[in-house]
Amino acid sequence: MRRTPIVLALLGALAVTGCSSSGAGGQQSAAPPASSAAPQGSGASFAVITHGAPGDSFWDVVKNGAEAAGKQYGVRVTYQGDGDPAKQSQLIDQAVSEKVDGIVVSMANPDALKEAIGKAVSAKIPVVTINSGADFSKQFGAITHVGQSEDVAGRGAGEQLKAAGVTKLLCVIHEAGNVGLDQRCKGAEQTLGGTVERLQVDVSNLADVTSKVTAKLQSDQQVNGVLALNPAIAVAARDAIKDAGSQAKLATFDLSADVVTAINDGEVLFAVDQQQYLQGYLPITFLNLYKSNLNTVGGGLPVNTGPGFVTKDNASQVAKLAEAGTR
């Protein structure tokens, strides 16, 4: 990913002013410094609206990043999440009606959000997209996209699984219609050199996830690898591998404290880390710069926060940060 000088400068500044970790793939995650004095902000109000369900460990870290940036810059940040794209659209419409100064939105289902995002752009409210839907961000009028290339991340996961000896992979999709999840599976398929089979599950019913993965492993013993696309799914898949008496190797996308522990214990090979804290922190930074100085970032290209890889070699370092809610 080619980065513009301003992106490099901004990320460098964040690394200097915050506490950082070499974490996954040597990438650094920045947290703002503590301050006893409240910053004198612009009075701006920014709304973060994602497709993450309340209590989801991944999205909790995104929220933490956005709120930390809000405190640092002295701006008001609200966070709301809903996995139903129709309800997510309503939340965007509500933010537009409240005349916020900027909107951050994840686009797991871009087509369903196109109209609502268009209303924000027409109202001259700057939009930064995050996480999913990078291919649609510029088309919908967003000023930039912050996230990782799901295709690139998927290919990286496939390469590592191939090196581990996986020849038939079960790719577990936990959100129907999420374009980013399908891109991850496709990417893994391109580099694995073996067979990739998809299994649709419901992230809101983890017991059923374990049951379905167990049944698949028992019925098809040629499956010797499982790729989860969510940390909660990874934990459910770990339990399924044990229940099935399978020797399948497990990898996942994204981090949680449980996943880091599982990597340390040798139950998970690796986690693809998109550093979601930055997906909350950077958009607020960019919107604040846009409001105060009309700066735009990325030059029409996404700002990548990953992929990096957390393995047993660096999991102990990342574990402390995961417990703090920044990884």
Side-chain angles (χ1 to χ4, degrees):
M1 177 69 187
R2 179 176 61 83
R3 302 228 184 175
T4 60
I6 189 170
V7 175
L8 294 175
L10 279 167
L11 294 181
L14 288 171
V16 170
T17 59
C19 77
S20 63
S21 153
S22 58
Q27 299 184 36
Q28 292 193 324
S29 173
S35 173
S36 59
Q40 296 298 313
S42 62
S45 176
F46 301 131
V48 182
I49 301 166
T50 76
H51 65 276
D56 184 296
S57 60
F58 176 90
W59 290 104
D60 283 347
V61 177
V62 176
K63 179 183 178 183
N64 290 344
E67 291 179 345
K71 290 178 182 177
Q72 180 170 359
Y73 301 121
V75 298
R76 180 172 179 263
V77 174
T78 60
Y79 178 96
Q80 293 175 288
D82 201 304
D84 182 338
K87 292 180 180 177
Q88 192 183 2
S89 293
Q90 291 172 3
L91 292 173
I92 296 171
D93 289 341
Q94 179 182 337
V96 172
S97 69
E98 292 172 355
K99 298 181 180 180
V100 297
D101 295 292
I103 295 174
V104 181
V105 58
S106 64
M107 297 197 299
N109 192 323
D111 289 341
L113 303 183
K114 182 177 181 179
E115 183 178 350
I117 292 173
K119 291 177 184 177
V121 172
S122 295
K124 301 194 181 304
I125 297 174
V127 175
V128 174
T129 59
I130 63 170
N131 188 260
S132 299
D135 293 342
F136 298 87
S137 179
K138 186 176 180 180
Q139 175 187 333
F140 286 6
I143 61 173
T144 196
H145 178 85
V146 179
Q148 73 176 1
S149 167
E150 303 293 12
D151 290 328
V152 172
R155 291 197 293 271
E159 288 172 354
Q160 294 216 23
L161 288 164
K162 180 179 181 180
V166 173
T167 55
K168 187 169 185 180
L169 178 68
L170 188 66
C171 192
V172 186
I173 297 178
H174 59 276
E175 291 174 353
N178 187 327
V179 294
L181 301 184
D182 188 59
Q183 288 173 332
R184 292 175 179 181
C185 292
K186 285 181 179 178
E189 195 168 16
Q190 290 172 10
T191 55
L192 182 71
T195 303
V196 176
E197 184 173 337
R198 291 162 176 76
L199 177 67
Q200 181 71 56
V201 298
D202 182 358
V203 69
S204 65
N205 189 343
L206 294 176
D208 188 57
V209 173
T210 299
S211 177
K212 286 183 177 178
V213 175
T214 299
K216 181 60 183 177
L217 293 173
Q218 289 175 334
S219 65
D220 187 353
Q221 297 186 9
Q222 289 186 327
V223 175
N224 61 352
V226 178
L227 180 59
L229 307 180
N230 169 281
I233 299 298
V235 173
R238 176 202 62 188
D239 295 342
I241 290 170
K242 291 178 181 178
D243 291 348
S246 172
Q247 298 299 312
K249 295 174 180 176
L250 173 63
T252 187
F253 277 72
D254 304 326
L255 291 176
S256 69
D258 287 340
V259 165
V260 175
T261 298
I263 292 172
N264 265 325
D265 292 344
E267 297 172 328
V268 175
L269 285 177
F270 62 84
V272 182
D273 181 19
Q274 59 180 299
Q275 300 185 113
Q276 70 268 33
Y277 183 85
L278 294 179
Q279 293 178 21
Y281 186 91
L282 290 180
I284 301 303
T285 301
F286 296 162
L287 287 172
N288 190 57
L289 284 168
Y290 184 84
K291 178 173 175 57
S292 63
N293 206 44
L294 282 181
N295 289 126
T296 57
V297 179
L301 297 174
V303 176
N304 278 356
T305 62
F309 292 89
V310 176
T311 67
K312 200 164 186 176
D313 291 337
N314 58 9
S316 294
Q317 293 174 291
V318 176
K320 297 178 182 177
L321 299 170
E323 289 175 3
T326 61
R327 292 299 292 270

